[in-house]
Amino acid sequence: MNTFKLLASTVLVVLCSACVVWEPVTYSDEQQESVELALAAFRAEEQLATYFNEASAFAVFPATYRAGAGFGAAYGQGWLFEGGDVTGRAMMTELFVGANVGVQGYRKILFFRGEWALDQFKRGRFEFTGQANATAVKSSVSASPAYHPEVAMFSQVKGGLLLEVSVGTQRYDFFPLAGDVVKP
């Protein structure tokens, strides 16, 4: 019964998030503040300096959440930066199954090396994912296999309690800004 409730809740969240698709995409001051905080946290990691310097674009997701109990889901909204400018909103949804229990909050960044990978991201696509993850409050260990040689993904756990070994499907959707490109 609990698995059914979780699955029904997951479907409801995914359907409700689809409503976001039809509203005009704007980049507000509040969103800019959360993105700047996330970028500052990622830029503080020395090993990411090369990625920031070499990437043709990157997408930052300041707040992403995942929850599971056998079946699970993750959701997050972020912003795509091309040439230092915000060009649109990105939405990530993920469904997974496996040995997992708990909830986790994290931020994520995707670096794109070339135009082909960026174009594929903008078109929206499904990716097969596999995860091994252990999170306890703010200390964590996680490993995510690379899913494409032209895209690098890094995440920073913000908190939660999650134990997970799972497989699933992940989708990214891109929505260009309504009007002009924003220069942060």
Side-chain angles (χ1 to χ4, degrees):
M1 187 65 168
N2 287 337
T3 303
F4 176 74
K5 287 180 183 178
L6 179 64
L7 184 58
S9 298
T10 301
V11 169
L12 183 61
V13 167
V14 171
L15 290 175
C16 289
S17 67
C19 298
V20 175
V21 173
W22 291 283
E23 66 183 48
V25 178
T26 58
Y27 189 59
S28 71
D29 291 340
E30 180 183 325
Q31 293 160 334
Q32 182 177 356
E33 184 179 332
S34 69
V35 168
E36 287 175 359
L37 288 171
L39 283 174
F42 283 118
R43 288 185 192 278
E45 293 192 28
E46 291 179 28
Q47 72 269 23
L48 298 184
T50 301
Y51 292 93
F52 277 107
N53 293 334
E54 294 177 0
S56 64
F58 60 87
V60 62
F61 295 80
T64 303
Y65 302 95
R66 66 188 299 112
F71 291 97
Y75 176 79
Q77 287 191 43
W79 298 91
L80 180 65
F81 287 77
E82 297 178 71
D85 299 329
V86 177
T87 59
R89 183 182 66 213
M91 188 169 62
M92 186 278 300
T93 53
E94 179 180 3
L95 297 173
F96 54 90
V97 64
N100 63 76
V101 64
V103 178
Q104 178 186 57
Y106 60 101
R107 64 179 134 279
K108 175 169 40 175
I109 191 166
L110 301 172
F111 293 99
F112 301 94
R113 278 190 250 182
E115 291 301 316
W116 183 86
L118 180 59
D119 182 58
Q120 294 300 305
F121 177 80
K122 286 180 175 181
R123 290 177 187 216
R125 62 187 182 155
F126 283 93
E127 288 294 335
F128 180 78
T129 61
Q131 301 240 110
N133 195 347
T135 300
V137 188
K138 287 197 174 191
S139 62
S140 72
V141 176
S142 86
S144 296
Y147 60 94
H148 193 281
E150 290 296 312
V151 180
M153 179 182 76
F154 298 92
S155 62
Q156 295 175 332
V157 175
K158 294 165 59 172
L161 178 60
L162 178 70
L163 299 172
E164 173 185 15
V165 176
S166 65
V167 293
T169 186
Q170 192 173 74
R171 179 182 174 106
Y172 292 92
D173 291 303
F174 175 74
F175 308 94
L177 283 179
D180 296 328
V181 169
V182 177
K183 296 183 184 287

